[in-house]
mmCIF file of all heavy atoms in Angstrom:
data_model
loop_
_atom_site.group_PDB
_atom_site.id
_atom_site.type_symbol
_atom_site.label_atom_id
_atom_site.label_comp_id
_atom_site.label_asym_id
_atom_site.label_seq_id
_atom_site.Cartn_x
_atom_site.Cartn_y
_atom_site.Cartn_z
ATOM 1 N N GLU A 181 58.925 36.850 132.515
ATOM 2 C CA GLU A 181 59.214 35.814 131.528
ATOM 3 C C GLU A 181 58.304 35.928 130.306
ATOM 4 O O GLU A 181 58.770 35.872 129.163
ATOM 5 C CB GLU A 181 59.064 34.448 132.194
ATOM 6 C CG GLU A 181 59.984 33.435 131.614
ATOM 7 C CD GLU A 181 60.063 32.175 132.470
ATOM 8 O OE1 GLU A 181 60.125 32.303 133.721
ATOM 9 O OE2 GLU A 181 60.043 31.091 131.886
ATOM 10 N N TYR A 184 59.316 38.834 128.241
ATOM 11 C CA TYR A 184 60.531 38.556 127.463
ATOM 12 C C TYR A 184 60.200 37.778 126.186
ATOM 13 O O TYR A 184 60.737 38.060 125.116
ATOM 14 C CB TYR A 184 61.546 37.769 128.301
ATOM 15 C CG TYR A 184 62.538 38.673 129.001
ATOM 16 C CD1 TYR A 184 62.526 38.825 130.372
ATOM 17 C CD2 TYR A 184 63.496 39.373 128.266
ATOM 18 C CE1 TYR A 184 63.432 39.661 131.013
ATOM 19 C CE2 TYR A 184 64.408 40.214 128.900
ATOM 20 C CZ TYR A 184 64.367 40.353 130.269
ATOM 21 O OH TYR A 184 65.259 41.185 130.884
ATOM 22 N N LEU A 185 59.304 36.793 126.307
ATOM 23 C CA LEU A 185 58.934 36.001 125.122
ATOM 24 C C LEU A 185 58.280 36.891 124.082
ATOM 25 O O LEU A 185 58.573 36.814 122.888
ATOM 26 C CB LEU A 185 57.991 34.860 125.530
ATOM 27 C CG LEU A 185 58.672 33.733 126.301
ATOM 28 C CD1 LEU A 185 57.658 32.721 126.810
ATOM 29 C CD2 LEU A 185 59.719 33.040 125.409
ATOM 30 N N ALA A 188 60.989 39.074 122.538
ATOM 31 C CA ALA A 188 61.889 38.312 121.666
ATOM 32 C C ALA A 188 61.247 38.046 120.308
ATOM 33 O O ALA A 188 61.931 37.876 119.298
ATOM 34 C CB ALA A 188 62.281 37.005 122.342
ATOM 35 N N VAL A 195 66.166 42.012 122.287
ATOM 36 C CA VAL A 195 66.415 41.729 123.703
ATOM 37 C C VAL A 195 67.922 41.668 123.944
ATOM 38 O O VAL A 195 68.632 40.923 123.274
ATOM 39 C CB VAL A 195 65.747 40.407 124.130
ATOM 40 C CG1 VAL A 195 66.181 40.034 125.550
ATOM 41 C CG2 VAL A 195 64.232 40.516 124.052
ATOM 42 N N ILE A 198 69.041 41.681 131.114
ATOM 43 C CA ILE A 198 68.151 41.793 132.268
ATOM 44 C C ILE A 198 68.747 42.874 133.164
ATOM 45 O O ILE A 198 69.978 42.938 133.315
ATOM 46 C CB ILE A 198 68.071 40.474 133.081
ATOM 47 C CG1 ILE A 198 67.703 39.297 132.173
ATOM 48 C CG2 ILE A 198 67.070 40.594 134.228
ATOM 49 C CD1 ILE A 198 67.704 37.946 132.907
ATOM 50 N N LEU A 219 68.167 36.927 139.416
ATOM 51 C CA LEU A 219 68.387 37.291 138.009
ATOM 52 C C LEU A 219 69.002 36.130 137.247
ATOM 53 O O LEU A 219 68.638 35.848 136.102
ATOM 54 C CB LEU A 219 69.322 38.506 137.888
ATOM 55 C CG LEU A 219 68.876 39.838 138.466
ATOM 56 C CD1 LEU A 219 69.816 40.948 138.007
ATOM 57 C CD2 LEU A 219 67.457 40.178 138.059
ATOM 58 N N ALA A 220 69.945 35.443 137.900
ATOM 59 C CA ALA A 220 70.610 34.312 137.246
ATOM 60 C C ALA A 220 69.604 33.214 136.918
ATOM 61 O O ALA A 220 69.634 32.626 135.827
ATOM 62 C CB ALA A 220 71.725 33.773 138.138
ATOM 63 N N ALA A 221 68.682 32.966 137.848
ATOM 64 C CA ALA A 221 67.674 31.929 137.609
ATOM 65 C C ALA A 221 66.786 32.323 136.427
ATOM 66 O O ALA A 221 66.476 31.490 135.561
ATOM 67 C CB ALA A 221 66.833 31.718 138.878
ATOM 68 N N LEU A 222 66.399 33.581 136.368
ATOM 69 C CA LEU A 222 65.583 34.052 135.239
ATOM 70 C C LEU A 222 66.377 33.935 133.936
ATOM 71 O O LEU A 222 65.861 33.470 132.910
ATOM 72 C CB LEU A 222 65.151 35.509 135.466
ATOM 73 C CG LEU A 222 64.427 36.178 134.292
ATOM 74 C CD1 LEU A 222 63.110 35.471 133.961
ATOM 75 C CD2 LEU A 222 64.165 37.663 134.583
ATOM 76 N N ALA A 223 67.655 34.333 133.986
ATOM 77 C CA ALA A 223 68.487 34.272 132.780
ATOM 78 C C ALA A 223 68.551 32.839 132.245
ATOM 79 O O ALA A 223 68.432 32.603 131.040
ATOM 80 C CB ALA A 223 69.891 34.787 133.092
ATOM 81 N N ARG A 224 68.703 31.863 133.147
ATOM 82 C CA ARG A 224 68.760 30.458 132.709
ATOM 83 C C ARG A 224 67.467 30.033 132.049
ATOM 84 O O ARG A 224 67.476 29.385 131.009
ATOM 85 C CB ARG A 224 69.074 29.549 133.895
ATOM 86 C CG ARG A 224 70.542 29.403 134.073
ATOM 87 C CD ARG A 224 70.982 28.360 135.083
ATOM 88 N NE ARG A 224 72.266 28.841 135.560
ATOM 89 C CZ ARG A 224 72.434 29.535 136.684
ATOM 90 N NH1 ARG A 224 71.413 29.761 137.491
ATOM 91 N NH2 ARG A 224 73.621 29.975 137.004
ATOM 92 N N ARG A 225 66.333 30.426 132.637
ATOM 93 C CA ARG A 225 65.040 30.056 132.018
ATOM 94 C C ARG A 225 64.912 30.674 130.638
ATOM 95 O O ARG A 225 64.427 30.047 129.702
ATOM 96 C CB ARG A 225 63.884 30.503 132.927
ATOM 97 C CG ARG A 225 63.791 29.723 134.236
ATOM 98 C CD ARG A 225 62.410 29.851 134.877
ATOM 99 N NE ARG A 225 62.070 31.222 135.276
ATOM 100 C CZ ARG A 225 62.450 31.783 136.434
ATOM 101 N NH1 ARG A 225 63.176 31.098 137.304
ATOM 102 N NH2 ARG A 225 62.108 33.016 136.731
ATOM 103 N N LEU A 226 65.364 31.918 130.494
ATOM 104 C CA LEU A 226 65.264 32.581 129.185
ATOM 105 C C LEU A 226 66.191 31.910 128.174
ATOM 106 O O LEU A 226 65.801 31.653 127.026
ATOM 107 C CB LEU A 226 65.598 34.072 129.307
ATOM 108 C CG LEU A 226 64.665 34.903 130.189
ATOM 109 C CD1 LEU A 226 65.140 36.351 130.252
ATOM 110 C CD2 LEU A 226 63.216 34.849 129.678
ATOM 111 N N GLN A 227 67.408 31.606 128.607
ATOM 112 C CA GLN A 227 68.367 30.968 127.696
ATOM 113 C C GLN A 227 67.853 29.607 127.236
ATOM 114 O O GLN A 227 67.998 29.252 126.065
ATOM 115 C CB GLN A 227 69.736 30.842 128.375
ATOM 116 C CG GLN A 227 70.454 32.191 128.499
ATOM 117 C CD GLN A 227 71.731 32.128 129.322
ATOM 118 O OE1 GLN A 227 71.890 31.237 130.170
ATOM 119 N NE2 GLN A 227 72.641 33.064 129.104
ATOM 120 N N GLU A 228 67.193 28.876 128.165
ATOM 121 C CA GLU A 228 66.623 27.577 127.793
ATOM 122 C C GLU A 228 65.554 27.722 126.717
ATOM 123 O O GLU A 228 65.302 26.807 125.936
ATOM 124 C CB GLU A 228 65.998 26.886 129.018
ATOM 125 C CG GLU A 228 67.024 26.201 129.897
ATOM 126 C CD GLU A 228 66.503 25.969 131.317
ATOM 127 O OE1 GLU A 228 65.260 26.071 131.523
ATOM 128 O OE2 GLU A 228 67.340 25.715 132.210
ATOM 129 N N GLN A 229 64.902 28.897 126.717
ATOM 130 C CA GLN A 229 63.863 29.112 125.702
ATOM 131 C C GLN A 229 64.415 29.789 124.458
ATOM 132 O O GLN A 229 63.656 30.312 123.641
ATOM 133 C CB GLN A 229 62.721 29.928 126.310
ATOM 134 C CG GLN A 229 62.032 29.131 127.414
ATOM 135 C CD GLN A 229 60.973 29.941 128.130
ATOM 136 O OE1 GLN A 229 59.890 30.151 127.581
ATOM 137 N NE2 GLN A 229 61.291 30.406 129.306
ATOM 138 N N GLY A 230 65.727 29.811 124.352
ATOM 139 C CA GLY A 230 66.353 30.318 123.127
ATOM 140 C C GLY A 230 66.507 31.828 123.065
ATOM 141 O O GLY A 230 66.801 32.387 122.019
ATOM 142 N N ILE A 231 66.292 32.503 124.186
ATOM 143 C CA ILE A 231 66.486 33.961 124.206
ATOM 144 C C ILE A 231 67.918 34.227 124.642
ATOM 145 O O ILE A 231 68.310 33.897 125.764
ATOM 146 C CB ILE A 231 65.489 34.631 125.169
ATOM 147 C CG1 ILE A 231 64.066 34.372 124.689
ATOM 148 C CG2 ILE A 231 65.771 36.124 125.281
ATOM 149 C CD1 ILE A 231 62.986 34.880 125.619
ATOM 150 N N SER A 232 68.725 34.796 123.754
ATOM 151 C CA SER A 232 70.118 35.014 124.141
ATOM 152 C C SER A 232 70.256 36.390 124.778
ATOM 153 O O SER A 232 69.581 37.344 124.409
ATOM 154 C CB SER A 232 71.047 34.841 122.939
ATOM 155 O OG SER A 232 70.889 35.937 122.077
ATOM 156 N N LEU A 233 71.145 36.440 125.732
ATOM 157 C CA LEU A 233 71.336 37.672 126.507
ATOM 158 C C LEU A 233 72.778 38.125 126.365
ATOM 159 O O LEU A 233 73.705 37.314 126.445
ATOM 160 C CB LEU A 233 71.033 37.403 127.991
ATOM 161 C CG LEU A 233 69.617 36.929 128.323
ATOM 162 C CD1 LEU A 233 69.557 36.454 129.770
ATOM 163 C CD2 LEU A 233 68.592 38.029 128.072
ATOM 164 N N ASP A 267 78.556 31.767 135.417
ATOM 165 C CA ASP A 267 78.518 30.739 134.364
ATOM 166 C C ASP A 267 77.498 31.008 133.266
ATOM 167 O O ASP A 267 77.192 30.122 132.485
ATOM 168 C CB ASP A 267 78.221 29.369 135.006
ATOM 169 C CG ASP A 267 79.267 29.025 136.042
ATOM 170 O OD1 ASP A 267 80.449 29.354 135.801
ATOM 171 O OD2 ASP A 267 78.896 28.465 137.099
ATOM 172 N N LEU A 268 76.972 32.211 133.211
ATOM 173 C CA LEU A 268 75.885 32.471 132.252
ATOM 174 C C LEU A 268 76.395 32.903 130.888
ATOM 175 O O LEU A 268 75.635 32.961 129.928
ATOM 176 C CB LEU A 268 74.954 33.560 132.801
ATOM 177 C CG LEU A 268 74.156 33.185 134.048
ATOM 178 C CD1 LEU A 268 73.522 34.426 134.659
ATOM 179 C CD2 LEU A 268 73.082 32.154 133.702
ATOM 180 N N GLY A 269 77.679 33.222 130.790
ATOM 181 C CA GLY A 269 78.217 33.678 129.510
ATOM 182 C C GLY A 269 77.702 35.049 129.098
ATOM 183 O O GLY A 269 77.550 35.334 127.909
ATOM 184 N N VAL A 270 77.420 35.896 130.082
ATOM 185 C CA VAL A 270 76.954 37.251 129.773
ATOM 186 C C VAL A 270 77.935 38.249 130.383
ATOM 187 O O VAL A 270 78.661 37.910 131.315
ATOM 188 C CB VAL A 270 75.549 37.527 130.373
ATOM 189 C CG1 VAL A 270 74.517 36.613 129.765
ATOM 190 C CG2 VAL A 270 75.567 37.400 131.894
#
Side-chain angles (χ1 to χ4, degrees):
E181 211 167 318
Y184 267 111
L185 288 173
V195 172
I198 307 176
L219 297 191
L222 173 62
R224 272 189 208 97
R225 291 199 296 276
L226 297 178
Q227 287 173 336
E228 280 159 15
Q229 295 175 75
I231 298 175
S232 72
L233 300 169
D267 302 323
L268 293 168
V270 297

